[in-house]
Amino acid sequence: MSDVFDPKMLEALVCPQTQATLRYDPEAQELVSKQAQLAYPIRDGIPVMLVDEARVLD
């Protein structure tokens, strides 16, 4: 089992709040929704797609 996020997963993932596409930020290990102004964490290679777990962007 790999702890690295597979960017190919982006094709199937959308922001749960806005249904917008996401951008992968490899340095922060987050999936960013510009439309919702949220960043969803990636933990152990698995995106946590819960609005309650997302970080609000500045």
Side-chain angles (χ1 to χ4, degrees), residues 15-41:
C15 174
Q17 183 169 305
T18 65
Q19 306 306 304
T21 57
L22 300 164
R23 180 182 56 80
Y24 175 45
D25 181 343
E27 281 188 23
Q29 283 299 294
E30 294 176 327
L31 296 180
V32 178
S33 171
K34 276 196 131 168
Q35 194 171 7
Q37 290 295 296
L38 295 172
Y40 298 93

Side-chain angles (χ1 to χ4, degrees), residues 3-24:
D3 287 347
V4 178
F5 176 72
D6 182 354
K8 290 181 189 169
M9 287 179 67
L10 278 178
E11 296 171 14
L13 295 172
V14 295
C15 174
Q17 183 169 305
T18 65
Q19 306 306 304
T21 57
L22 300 164
R23 180 182 56 80
Y24 175 45

Side-chain angles (χ1 to χ4, degrees), residues 1-4 44-46:
M1 178 109 157
S2 175
D3 287 347
V4 178
D44 300 321
I46 301 168

